Amino acid sequence: MKVYYDGDANLDILKDKKIVILGYGSQGHAHAQNLKESGLNVIVALHEKNEFWHQAEADGLEVMENKEAVRAGDIIMLLVPDTIQPGVYKNDILPNLQKGNILAFAHGFNIHYNQIVPPSTIDVIMIAPKGPGHLVRRQYQQKQGVPSLIAIYQDYSGQAKEFALAYARGIGATRAGVLQTSFKEETETDLFGEQTVLCGGVTELILSGFNTLVEAGYQPEIAYFECLHEMKLIVDLIYENGLSGMYYSVSDTAEYGGLSRGPQIIGEESKKAMKEALKRVQDGSFATEWILENQANGPKFNALRQKLDNEKIEKVGKELRKMMSWINNK
Ligand code: NDP
Ligand code: MG
């Protein structure tokens, strides 16, 4: 796979463009400050004069109200929450968009599932850092970058890829390396990953392990340490050294036990369920469910959150984490 670095990206093609960063949250504050420090023209766009507005000004950035900023801008990067983007697009962006503008995203959901349908006379690109905004900012300040994905949905100018690479360079991403994907691939793999492995899979694995031990009469506090707390140690090892690298670091007993029992826990049945989840991502039925859920103000969503809050592990964990001075207790 081709990896793009600084030498593949020409920052100069953005020098005469105004880049509007809509939203000043996790990604927004990092993109805006990094691009500005890369010598580019940045306007932060917000919808009300609240703490984000003051923070952006304190960070030395020009801030405007959404509509005004879009009118002044050439590149519009949408960094407000995904569920809010379609409304902002309809009310503030579309009426003020000009031919030849560039609409940019950090996640493909709204384009891929047609929640935002852009006119054909603009470029539509994605620059998606594979890390949270604070890391994107911190790495940039340390003269490093966070690996990122770029994608082109619409290439009106014939230069969309050059623009995406230049933007990626502006936020520091080409220092680390940039890979090309499509809106479809980024969106579908992102949803699949968070549903089955990262968020959904991991929480249910922890819960099942914890509840199995507690139901068998073991102390919840001990079960918490074993099934939740130690997860971080193992994930850190996997993150740094891969799966075999993790096994190299644990005891032979843990290695043999894991290698032999793991496939019995996550086996064919789980794989079947993952394929089903993937199908629902690919055919759009998950997206439809999520959009309708939001329109109805999240009845199922709230019930699911409530159910998790009521799990014993959450109450036990809250107490145990008070013993851990290095953790920000909430
Ligand atoms: P945040 O939730 O951090 O963004 C919140 C910001 O959006 C706030 O400044 C908020 O201001 C502002 N905002 C909300 N509504 C509006 C509005 N109507 N007009 C202008 N500003 C508004 O978002 P993220 O940074 O997490 O996500 C942004 C995009 O980046 C998403 O597409 C996401 O999928 C993607 N992404 C996120 C990653 C992450 O780690 N967070 C990683 C990679 C991609 P206020 O409170 O005043 O409304
Ligand atoms: Mg993701």
Side-chain angles (χ1 to χ4, degrees):
M1 185 174 215
K2 166 107 177 111
V3 183
Y4 299 91
Y5 296 102
D6 281 354
D8 302 304
N10 177 14
L11 211 51
D12 288 341
I13 62 168
L14 296 181
K15 284 266 153 75
D16 61 348
K17 300 221 178 286
K18 278 203 155 51
I19 306 174
V20 174
I21 303 295
L22 245 142
Y24 204 67
S26 174
Q27 291 293 321
H29 88 283
H31 290 224
Q33 293 185 81
N34 292 4
L35 291 167
K36 181 164 187 260
E37 284 168 29
S38 293
L40 301 174
N41 307 305
V42 176
I43 304 169
V44 171
L46 288 165
H47 60 142
E48 55 184 5
K49 287 212 173 180
N50 59 14
E51 81 264 33
F52 288 109
W53 190 297
H54 298 305
Q55 187 57 51
E57 280 185 341
D59 292 335
L61 291 151
E62 187 180 0
V63 190
M64 289 183 190
E65 185 275 325
N66 288 346
K67 294 185 177 76
E68 191 193 349
V70 174
R71 278 195 292 274
D74 303 293
I75 301 179
I76 320 297
M77 174 50 122
L78 256 168
L79 295 176
V80 303
D82 296 297
T83 47
I84 290 174
Q85 289 181 8
V88 173
Y89 175 77
K90 186 165 156 268
N91 298 322
D92 300 342
I93 299 180
L94 185 60
N96 299 296
L97 210 52
Q98 281 157 4
K99 191 172 152 180
N101 281 171
I102 299 165
L103 188 62
F105 293 85
H107 177 40
F109 186 97
N110 286 307
I111 287 287
H112 181 57
Y113 293 117
N114 300 316
Q115 297 308 293
I116 291 176
V117 182
S120 60
T121 53
I122 62 166
D123 287 358
V124 181
I125 62 177
M126 180 183 350
I127 303 94
K130 295 313 285 176
H134 71 265
L135 190 64
V136 173
R137 180 63 187 144
R138 184 152 37 91
Q139 287 296 100
Y140 183 89
Q141 288 172 306
Q142 294 171 359
K143 309 252 176 287
Q144 306 286 332
V146 172
S148 302
L149 308 178
I150 58 160
I152 313 302
Y153 181 73
Q154 211 165 267
D155 188 4
Y156 176 73
S157 67
Q159 279 189 290
K161 186 168 172 183
E162 283 89 336
F163 287 132
L165 283 170
Y167 186 107
R169 181 166 178 174
I171 60 169
T174 45
R175 292 170 179 168
V178 168
L179 307 176
Q180 186 164 5
T181 180
S182 62
F183 274 67
K184 172 181 160 59
E185 184 178 61
E186 186 275 338
T187 305
E188 293 179 355
T189 55
D190 189 70
L191 293 178
F192 173 81
E194 64 202 16
Q195 289 174 16
T196 64
V197 180
L198 307 175
C199 307
V202 163
T203 47
E204 289 307 315
L205 190 65
I206 291 173
L207 272 172
S208 293
F210 174 87
N211 288 333
T212 300
L213 286 177
V214 171
E215 282 161 27
Y218 296 96
Q219 298 180 76
E221 292 76 10
I222 306 298
Y224 178 89
F225 277 114
E226 208 47 62
C227 298
L228 188 150
H229 182 80
E230 287 192 28
M231 179 67 91
K232 175 166 166 47
L233 311 176
I234 297 301
V235 169
D236 281 351
L237 288 170
I238 294 173
Y239 185 78
E240 283 162 20
N241 306 309
L243 298 172
S244 307
M246 177 277 289
Y247 272 134
Y248 176 79
S249 297
V250 299
S251 71
D252 283 356
T253 314
E255 184 175 2
Y256 175 74
L259 287 170
S260 63
R261 298 307 191 270
Q264 296 171 9
I265 306 304
I266 306 289
E268 271 313 305
E269 224 178 298
S270 296
K271 182 92 176 288
K272 218 173 113 200
M274 285 184 176
K275 283 184 174 168
E276 182 57 31
L278 180 59
K279 204 176 99 213
R280 295 183 137 271
V281 164
Q282 290 171 328
D283 69 14
S285 51
F286 171 78
T288 306
E289 176 184 328
W290 174 225
I291 291 158
L292 291 176
E293 181 67 19
N294 273 296
Q295 283 167 4
N297 287 321
K300 183 173 175 189
F301 191 20
N302 290 328
L304 290 168
R305 279 177 165 168
Q306 192 68 52
K307 183 165 175 277
L308 183 60
D309 284 348
N310 290 335
E311 288 284 346
K312 186 170 205 149
I313 195 170
E314 290 297 90
K315 308 203 188 320
V316 173
K318 202 166 169 222
E319 290 310 309
L320 285 179
R321 287 192 296 274
K322 289 181 185 162
M323 292 162 61
M324 303 169 197
S325 59
W326 64 94
I327 290 177
N328 236 337
N329 284 305
K330 269 198 230 112

